[in-house]
Every structure is written in C-alpha cells, then in structure tokens.
Amino acid sequence: MDIDVMGWIQRTLKPHMVSPDEALPGRDTPILSPMPRHEIFGLPLDEEPEGSEVAYFALGCYWGEERMFWETDGVLNTAVGFMGGFTPNPTYRESCTGQTGHTETVKVVYDPRRVSYDDLLKMFWEAHDPTQLNRQGNDVGTQYRSAVHTHTTGQLATAQSSRDAYQSVLTGAGYREITTEILPADGRPFYPAEPYHQQYLDKNPAGYCGIAGTGVSCPIGVAPADG
C-alpha cells in the first residue's frame, strides 16, 4: 500500500459493508483502457489462452497475492482489480474508502493440465488468515476481506469443501471460524485496477507485499471438480 495514501485511507475508511444504495456511483468507462500487456507473460491482461481456466481470489492486498500466483508454474496470466461489490469500474482510491463494496481481487488464468484448482486453493488458504474479518494484518476494511469467486459448479464445490477441510485443521490449531466469502462469479464483474497496480511488485521489487498466513497447512484434493 502506498504510504502517502495510508493516512487518507484511515480518515475515509468505512469499516462495514455498504449497501447498494450507499455505494459510490462509479462510471461507465473502464479504468484500465486500453488493456496493457502483462509485465512477465507479455499477454494482454484480459487474454485467456485456449484451454485455460480462470479463478478469482481475494486475500488482502493484491500486490503480493498477484506475484505469488504469477510465479506459480502453470499460471498463464494474472491481473489485479476489484470484485464482489456494487460500484462499476471503481478507482483504487474509491475502493480504499470501503464504499464500493468490492474487495481487492486477483484474476488467475491457469492451465489445468499443469496446476489444478485444488493447488491454487491451497496457496490461497495458506497465504493469509481467512479467520480475520474485513482485514489482513494492518490492512483494515471490507476491501481487504477474504473471498473466492467461482466460475463453475465444480469450482464452487471444491472451494466449499476445501474451506471445510481447512476449518477443521484451523480449529485444531486454535483459530476461529473462517470468514471467507465463497460465491459464484455470475453477475459479479471483475474490474481491473489502474495500470500502476498491475504487476506492482515486478515494477517495485521492494514494495509492500502483505502476504502472511497462519502457518497451518491446508488439505487439498477434497472434492472433484466437474468443470
């Protein structure tokens, strides 16, 4: 997170989820236009190669999360943005107020022959503390809430089963209930963030990461995906 934005966020932070009526109005024009190319993969950020599948994960600040996924073998493309809320085409600053309803999200395009959805879920669960409500560490607000948005019934079943399996081991380790939203992506658009946020830690290697898990390993392979 930008240090010079931190104080502004604290002054404007809305700690509870807004209603559609309360949300900022947003705009019709996408923030990310034209679509740039990925700093590592060289693909347009909206490209989904033939045979690939898409997953959406939110686990706090999206800078470190995106790097974690783009460094994963089998991931073909990534982008950071906003999802799960009400404001169309929000800016980063609007999202930081908590008044859009969105959470910082990473779109992950992957080759299922090289990396499975189970594998990505395991990375997701272990990279943050999903028992924290509307925060991750020092990043506080509904825009940092934990979420999985699914594309298929198979993804939904797998995500729910992995949550239940992880809850079992987290409970045994003394953690509270998982707060992660697991919802179908249908009708919940992914809005890409501004260009300077895309692959931020490639452009700023010493930048803020925010990745910090519980240290508790997550079981995988708990439910078959049916596509």
Side-chain angles (χ1 to χ4, degrees):
M1 181 187 298
D2 295 341
I3 294 176
D4 61 343
V5 174
M6 186 83 73
W8 178 82
I9 292 173
Q10 294 301 322
R11 292 192 298 273
T12 57
L13 179 66
K14 188 175 181 66
H16 303 295
M17 188 68 175
V18 297
S19 69
D21 292 339
E22 295 173 315
L24 296 173
R27 57 200 48 80
D28 295 331
T29 305
I31 296 301
L32 196 61
S33 181
M35 193 65 64
R37 290 184 176 272
H38 198 285
E39 295 290 328
I40 289 88
F41 298 123
L43 300 175
L45 291 186
D46 58 351
E47 185 166 326
E48 300 170 11
E50 184 176 357
S52 65
E53 296 181 6
V54 177
Y56 296 101
F57 300 108
L59 54 77
C61 177
Y62 49 30
W63 293 341
E65 179 188 356
E66 186 187 21
R67 181 173 63 183
M68 177 184 74
F69 283 120
W70 87 53
E71 290 180 343
T72 300
D73 182 55
V75 170
L76 308 176
N77 208 354
T78 60
V80 299
F82 313 103
M83 198 170 185
F86 312 110
T87 300
N89 299 301
T91 66
Y92 174 69
R93 281 183 173 256
E94 288 172 342
S95 174
C96 286
T97 68
Q99 293 177 279
T100 68
H102 293 297
T103 184
E104 292 195 9
T105 303
V106 175
K107 176 183 178 181
V108 181
V109 181
Y110 64 100
D111 181 346
R113 297 165 298 185
R114 296 167 58 192
V115 61
S116 71
Y117 189 60
D118 276 340
D119 293 334
L120 298 177
L121 280 166
K122 179 177 173 65
M123 294 173 60
F124 165 77
W125 293 120
E126 294 180 355
H128 73 305
D129 180 352
T131 70
Q132 293 188 350
L133 179 63
N134 296 331
R135 68 176 299 163
Q136 279 302 304
N138 293 328
D139 294 327
V140 181
T142 57
Q143 69 272 25
Y144 297 113
R145 69 188 185 276
S146 176
V148 178
H149 294 279
T150 62
H151 260 298
T152 66
T153 56
Q155 282 190 354
L156 181 62
T158 301
Q160 291 172 334
S161 295
S162 70
R163 174 199 58 202
D164 295 343
Y166 198 35
Q167 182 66 69
S168 179
V169 293
L170 284 175
T171 299
Y175 284 87
R176 297 181 180 180
E177 293 294 311
I178 289 173
T179 65
T180 304
E181 297 176 352
I182 300 178
L183 298 167
D186 296 345
R188 295 172 178 268
F190 171 78
Y191 297 107
E194 293 90 336
Y196 82 93
H197 288 287
Q198 306 298 332
Q199 298 84 64
Y200 181 85
L201 290 180
D202 180 68
K203 302 167 186 173
N204 303 275
Y208 175 78
C209 175
I211 293 291
T214 62
V216 179
S217 180
C218 176
I220 60 170
V222 292
D226 62 13

